[in-house]
């Protein structure tokens, strides 16, 4: 992988006519055993390559928090605040559920559709906060749930053409006789595998909560059933006392005693492992206060970054997914929050033929310059989603979507040697990379901090530097 104190990031100083570009930074091939893999960028639109273009998109709003891949599209859902007239003719200003559609192939914008339920706009704080696509291609959304003691978790199917929502059975974790005090409080994000409609297969639902305990909920919709039931041995909630390990552990500085973290923190994410004999029985929890760890349904830590601490991500950014190419297994995960540099960066790492974190090897950090360093308002979620393509010769390529609220998105391709992408590579201009910097080296340097403010006398640190038509990041050491 290319390492340099001078990394061209093409952070916007002026404006650009291009809404989407290609990341010009070249990532070296990686050999794992007898296999060689490449990672290339198909397209990107973000704060670090063309901020003006990214900010013109509807997705430049902290209400748009999550994204998924469905067929040939990237779907982004959210609840930007806007003025509207309600069913009673009254003017309102609230979150309105939206569905944004982009082409997976080239990132081009397709549509912005307001979501409706029973013919009326779907509105409220946190509506359509999570979007996903199940194993059978059903696109679903979940509203943020502020207190499961006062109501169930609301799930909907989405018609991605019309924007019409169809209500699914609620996940209502309160058992008969329980009170709100025993329930979790707020759910931001959740995960579904199987068939969420319950028609062709059962479905599993999981979420972790913002609360003062290590609370997890798991629900099962049996094939043909019209309700969700508890899926922790018949119960919805796992007893937090079952979780005896987190990474990192909480340490008493005086006594040296270690114990599990007290809670997952703000907006934790959960990802069920969607393959193998025990479908969904192992799952990642990625919290604000913890790095991704795999647990089983008994609450026992199975594996995770506790066994590979040198590759553990920055705490406070949440998102992880797994994929395979032939016999080799990979993981892609968010490594940097927006308040670091490079901000909103992700990593692809490889286990080889094992699935043991002790064997994990870093392959690529992408984008090299990150997606941006703009605060997402604490949403935490960094969506990393994959889709497999197989060419005419049986070679595999994995499209990897990286999406970070208000900072940007892009699609990279991880492929085995010889893969011929069935989709033509977009003919967008390449921005970034260290090639071509020499042309304007004699032009006067103008320095900006990472927030885009011009700095007359830069001290030690990382700056955006403009020389003629070239824009780069430069580390200054005096």
């Amino acid at each position: 992988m290319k390492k340099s104190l001078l990394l061209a990031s093409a952070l916007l100083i002026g404006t650009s006519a291009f809404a989407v570009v290609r990341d010009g930074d070249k990532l070296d091939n990686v050999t794992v055993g007898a296999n060689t893999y490449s990672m290339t960028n198909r397209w990107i639109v973000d704060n670090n390559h063309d901020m003006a273009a990214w900010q013109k998109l509807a997705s430049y709003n902290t209400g748009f928090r999550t994204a998924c891949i469905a067929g040939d599209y990237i779907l982004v859902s959210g609840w930007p605040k806007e003025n509207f007239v309600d069913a009673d003719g009254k003017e309102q200003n609230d979150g309105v559920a939206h569905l944004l559609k982009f082409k997976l192939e080239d990132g081009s914008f397709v549509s912005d559709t307001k979501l409706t339920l029973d013919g009326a706009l779907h509105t409220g704080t946190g509506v359509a906060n999570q979007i996903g696509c199940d194993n059978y291609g059903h696109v679903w959304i979940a509203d943020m749930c502020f207190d499961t003691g006062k109501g169930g978790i609301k799930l909907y199917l989405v018609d991605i053409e019309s924007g019409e929502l169809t209500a699914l059975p609620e996940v209502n974790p309160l058992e008969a006789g329980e009170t709100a005090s025993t329930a979790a409080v707020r759910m931001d994000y959740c995960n579904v595998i199987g068939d969420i409609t319950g028609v062709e297969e059962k479905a599993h639902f999981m979420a972790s909560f913002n609360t003062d305990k290590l609370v997890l909920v798991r629900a099962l919709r049996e094939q043909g059933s019209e309700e969700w039931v508890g899926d922790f041995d018949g119960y919805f909630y796992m007893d937090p006392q079952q979780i005896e390990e987190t990474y990192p552990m909480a340490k008493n500085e005086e006594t040296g005693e270690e114990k599990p973290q007290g809670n997952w923190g703000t907006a934790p994410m959960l990802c069920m492992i969607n393959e193998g004999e025990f479908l969904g029985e192992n799952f990642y929890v990625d919290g604000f206060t913890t790095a991704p760890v795999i647990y089983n349904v008994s609450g026992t830590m199975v594996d995770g970054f506790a066994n590979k601490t040198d590759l553990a991500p920055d705490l406070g950014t949440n998102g992880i997914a797994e994929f395979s190419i032939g016999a080799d297994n990979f993981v892609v995960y968010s490594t940097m929050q927006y308040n670091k540099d490079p901000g909103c960066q992700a990593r692809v790492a490889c286990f080889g033929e094992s699935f043991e974190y002790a064997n994990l090897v870093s392959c690529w950090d992408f984008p090299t310059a990150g997606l941006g360093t703009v605060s997402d308002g604490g949403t935490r979620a960094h969506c990393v989603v994959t889709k497999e393509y197989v060419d005419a010769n049986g070679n595999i390529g994995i499209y990897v979507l990286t999406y970070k609220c208000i900072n940007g998105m892009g699609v990279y391709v991880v492929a085995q040697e010889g893969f011929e992408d069935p989709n033509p590579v977009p003919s967008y201009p390449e921005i970034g990379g260290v090639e071509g910097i020499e042309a304007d080296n004699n032009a006067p340097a103008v320095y900006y901090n990472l927030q885009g403010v011009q700095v007359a006398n830069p001290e030690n640190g990382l700056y955006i530097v403009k020389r003629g038509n070239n824009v780069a990041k430069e580390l200054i050491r005096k």
Side-chain angles (χ1 to χ4, degrees):
M1 280 171 278
K2 186 170 294 179
K3 298 183 183 294
S4 172
L5 295 182
L6 185 60
L7 293 174
S9 62
L11 288 166
L12 179 80
I13 304 299
T15 60
S16 170
F18 300 101
V20 188
V21 299
R22 295 182 65 212
D23 185 354
D25 193 65
K26 307 303 180 184
L27 300 172
D28 290 343
N29 290 352
V30 171
T31 299
V32 179
N35 302 312
T36 299
Y37 299 98
S38 62
M39 187 173 191
T40 56
N41 178 245
R42 285 191 64 85
W43 59 267
I44 193 166
V45 54
D46 65 336
N47 284 325
N48 274 358
H49 287 83
D50 194 335
M51 185 181 290
W54 169 241
Q55 290 182 351
K56 289 176 183 177
L57 293 175
S59 48
Y60 190 79
N61 185 298
T62 55
F64 289 105
R65 299 184 174 183
T66 56
C68 72
I69 295 175
D72 297 326
Y73 298 107
I74 293 168
L75 304 177
V76 180
S77 72
W79 44 280
K81 294 277 188 177
E82 60 185 88
N83 296 318
F84 65 96
V85 178
D86 66 17
D88 297 324
K90 297 180 180 180
E91 291 188 2
Q92 303 286 349
N93 181 274
D94 205 347
V96 177
H98 280 248
L99 178 70
L100 307 179
K101 187 189 297 183
F102 301 85
K103 287 185 179 179
L104 176 63
E105 177 183 337
D106 59 15
S108 58
F109 176 73
V110 178
S111 60
D112 177 359
T113 305
K114 293 181 180 181
L115 302 181
T116 57
L117 179 64
D118 298 327
L121 287 177
H122 190 46
T123 63
T125 301
V127 292
N129 195 58
Q130 173 84 59
I131 189 167
C133 185
D134 72 11
N135 298 51
Y136 289 82
H138 302 120
V139 178
W140 56 271
I141 64 166
D143 293 345
M144 186 186 298
C145 181
F146 291 94
D147 190 347
T148 55
K150 296 180 179 178
I153 299 166
K154 293 178 171 58
L155 303 171
Y156 308 90
L157 284 181
V158 187
D159 184 321
I160 67 172
E161 300 302 327
S162 68
E164 180 64 20
L165 301 175
T166 301
L168 292 162
E170 290 186 359
V171 177
N172 196 336
L174 283 185
E175 301 282 1
E178 281 189 317
T179 63
S181 63
T182 62
V185 181
R186 171 173 157 173
M187 182 210 78
D188 286 60
Y189 308 116
C190 56
N191 184 222
V192 174
I193 61 172
D195 179 1
I196 197 171
T197 69
V199 174
E200 298 188 62
E201 187 189 355
K202 63 183 179 181
H204 296 283
F205 169 97
M206 287 198 74
S208 45
F209 291 83
N210 301 341
T211 181
D212 60 355
K213 297 179 180 179
L214 297 171
V215 173
L216 300 174
V217 67
R218 181 179 174 94
L220 168 68
R221 185 178 186 181
E222 291 282 10
Q223 186 176 4
S225 174
E226 291 300 319
E227 66 174 343
W228 296 92
V229 297
D231 200 24
F232 281 124
D233 195 21
Y235 294 93
F236 280 101
Y237 292 118
M238 176 185 287
D239 186 339
Q241 299 302 316
Q242 292 179 248
I243 300 174
E244 297 180 349
E245 292 182 272
T246 59
Y247 178 72
M249 297 281 276
K251 185 175 182 179
N252 186 313
E253 296 300 331
E254 293 184 1
T255 65
E257 180 186 4
E258 291 188 340
K259 62 180 181 179
Q261 296 275 353
N263 59 71
W264 304 118
T266 306
M269 296 187 76
L270 188 144
C271 178
M272 286 178 277
I273 296 177
N274 195 5
E275 60 182 55
E277 181 181 356
F278 303 104
L279 184 67
E281 292 195 12
N282 289 346
F283 53 88
Y284 285 94
V285 178
D286 188 3
F288 175 49
T289 59
T290 63
V293 165
I294 302 172
Y295 295 94
N296 61 26
V297 290
S298 298
T300 301
M301 181 189 291
V302 175
D303 207 344
F305 285 102
N307 296 324
K308 194 64 176 178
T309 59
D310 59 317
L311 293 186
D314 174 46
L315 297 182
T317 183
N318 309 330
I320 191 164
E322 294 180 349
F323 64 90
S324 299
I325 301 179
D328 288 327
N329 301 301
F330 295 80
V331 63
V332 52
Y333 60 101
S334 176
T335 56
M336 293 288 184
Q337 182 60 292
Y338 58 78
N339 58 352
K340 299 295 178 72
D341 189 81
C344 304
Q345 193 177 61
R347 174 178 296 147
V348 171
C350 186
F351 299 99
E353 294 188 12
S354 78
F355 243 132
E356 297 176 1
Y357 267 78
N359 297 327
L360 193 65
V361 176
S362 178
C363 297
W364 306 279
D365 291 340
F366 68 102
T368 300
L371 292 172
T373 54
V374 178
S375 171
D376 63 7
T379 65
R380 307 299 173 202
H382 185 158
C383 296
V384 284
V385 190
T386 66
K387 179 177 179 177
E388 178 183 296
Y389 285 90
V390 181
D391 69 15
N393 297 314
N395 297 314
I396 297 173
I398 304 292
Y399 280 26
V400 179
L401 165 67
T402 175
Y403 173 85
K404 187 67 168 76
C405 172
I406 215 162
N407 279 280
M409 62 179 171
V411 167
Y412 288 73
V413 182
V414 176
Q416 62 186 138
E417 202 168 26
F419 174 72
E420 296 182 7
D421 200 319
N423 299 311
V425 178
S427 58
Y428 296 138
E430 288 193 353
I431 295 183
V434 297
E435 292 80 4
I437 292 176
E438 301 297 331
D440 283 346
N441 270 354
N442 294 325
V446 182
Y447 291 86
Y448 301 81
N449 65 21
L450 297 179
Q451 288 69 48
V453 178
Q454 188 169 340
V455 178
N457 298 300
E459 299 294 331
N460 288 345
L462 192 65
Y463 294 87
I464 303 163
V465 185
K466 187 171 186 285
R467 291 184 176 88
N469 293 323
N470 287 327
V471 181
K473 276 185 179 177
E474 188 170 322
L475 181 64
I476 294 178
R477 290 175 176 167
K478 295 185 176 180

